[in-house]
């Protein structure tokens, strides 16, 4: 009898181990959605969804992060679903959330980007043009846009060379006095698997109102993206 119990216990342990390994990467440490979301709904859960699909607004568009699930949010969810081969109905349910859980770390950043990459200036996010929490939240949105762009470019890496800057870090870097780096959403990208022009061109599809690249003064060695309030794109050497 004791032997049988021991066998059963070891089987339970073995089975539990398999179940844990096979379970989808569920980042409860960040955020868990509790209901299916569709057009006409609103709330903080919609806003959390909007952040995750902010890189799918369509060419030249920017998705509002207002917590209201309107037609633009439906279209962004549909593009996200298409990008990952999910049934594309614009309704965020189990499959969509499972994919988002797979794509996010416990601190809510997308798996291929990190807060530490977006802030090499200080550890507090303070000293910029907005409160630290705002700068950090803005950087998070930029990361989700970059994650969408990275996937669209075949999942090869995107190299971040500069992100948030305090006023003193921005001055040291020679940044413009109204630089979006002071707001946390400005990100400089270096060449790597993708050329600077490829990055600037692709960024047009992923919710970046600001794009500066080769041909724009001071941008011969990086492509800058941000989410300023109205569109300014300039990278004349790239046809932008
Ligand atoms: Zn920049």
């Amino acid at each position: 009898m004791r032997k049988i119990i021991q066998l059963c216990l070891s089987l339970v342990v073995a089975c539990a181990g398999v179940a844990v390994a096979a379970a989808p990467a569920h980042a409860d440490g960040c955020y868990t959605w509790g209901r299916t979301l569709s057009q006409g709904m609103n709330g903080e859960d919609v806003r959390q969804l909007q952040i995750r699909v902010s890189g799918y607004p369509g060419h030249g568009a920017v998705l509002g992060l207002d917590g209201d699930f309107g037609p633009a949010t439906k279209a962004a969810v549909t593009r996200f679903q298409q990008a990952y081969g999910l049934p594309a109905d614009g309704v965020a349910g189990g499959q969509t959330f499972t994919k988002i859980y797979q794509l996010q770390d416990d601190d809510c950043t997308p798996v291929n980007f990190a807060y530490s990459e977006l802030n090499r200036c200080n550890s507090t996010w303070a000293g910029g043009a907005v409160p630290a929490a705002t700068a950090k939240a803005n950087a998070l949105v930029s990361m989700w846009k970059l994650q969408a762009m990275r996937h669209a470019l075949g999942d090869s890496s995107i190299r971040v060379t500069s992100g948030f800057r305090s006023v003193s870090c921005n001055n040291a870097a020679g940044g413009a006095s109204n630089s979006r780096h002071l707001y946390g959403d400005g990100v400089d990208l270096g060449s790597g698997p993708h050329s600077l022009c490829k990055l600037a061109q692709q960024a047009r599809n992923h919710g970046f109102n600001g794009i500066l690249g080769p041909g724009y003064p001071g941008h011969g060695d990086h492509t800058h993206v941000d989410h300023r309030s109205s569109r300014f794109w300039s990278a004349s050497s790239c046809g932008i």
Side-chain angles (χ1 to χ4, degrees):
M1 189 64 177
R2 176 178 280 185
K3 259 205 162 142
I4 290 169
I5 290 170
Q6 281 175 341
L7 177 62
C8 289
L9 282 174
S10 57
L11 277 174
V12 166
V13 171
C15 289
V18 168
V20 167
H26 202 278
D28 289 314
C30 168
Y31 189 84
T32 302
W33 283 269
R35 58 175 181 164
T36 293
L37 297 176
S38 58
Q39 191 168 335
M41 299 173 83
N42 58 72
E44 173 62 15
D45 49 1
V46 173
R47 197 183 71 87
Q48 291 291 333
L49 173 66
Q50 288 171 328
I51 292 170
R52 306 313 190 276
V53 299
S54 61
Y56 294 91
H59 183 92
V62 179
L63 183 65
L65 308 177
D66 56 5
D68 287 328
F69 198 129
T73 300
K74 181 179 181 182
V77 169
T78 302
R79 288 188 198 93
F80 174 87
Q81 293 167 329
Q82 288 168 338
Y84 286 101
L86 303 174
D89 57 4
V91 174
Q95 285 181 282
T96 299
F97 293 135
T98 295
K99 177 52 67 178
I100 291 174
Y101 296 141
Q102 289 170 354
L103 288 173
Q104 74 183 4
D105 290 324
D106 280 355
D107 66 356
C108 297
T109 60
V111 288
N112 296 112
F113 296 92
Y115 282 120
S116 57
E117 261 183 300
L118 272 280
N119 183 356
R120 294 192 178 96
C121 167
N122 60 34
S123 58
T124 62
W125 300 83
V130 289
T134 304
K136 192 175 181 183
N138 287 343
L140 180 66
V141 177
S142 282
M143 283 188 262
W144 280 101
K145 293 179 178 183
L146 289 172
Q147 186 74 31
M149 184 164 143
R150 186 185 189 281
H151 185 58
L153 289 171
D155 290 315
S156 49
S157 66
I158 288 179
R159 193 162 61 88
V160 173
T161 61
S162 185
F164 168 77
R165 298 174 195 155
S166 66
V167 171
S168 58
C169 287
N170 190 55
N171 289 342
S177 62
N178 61 345
S179 167
R180 290 305 302 185
H181 292 282
L182 296 165
Y183 295 79
D185 58 84
V187 186
D188 291 344
L189 310 174
S191 60
H194 315 294
S195 69
L196 297 178
C197 279
K198 184 71 183 170
L199 293 166
Q201 289 156 355
Q202 188 65 38
R204 298 176 294 184
N205 297 312
H206 300 287
F208 292 108
N209 254 347
I211 302 173
L212 305 172
Y216 186 80
H219 288 70
D221 62 353
H222 68 282
T223 287
H224 166 106
V225 294
D226 66 55
H227 34 266
R228 64 190 66 196
S229 57
S230 59
R231 188 194 296 180
F232 185 75
W233 293 351
S234 184
S236 57
S237 301
C238 311
I240 298 172

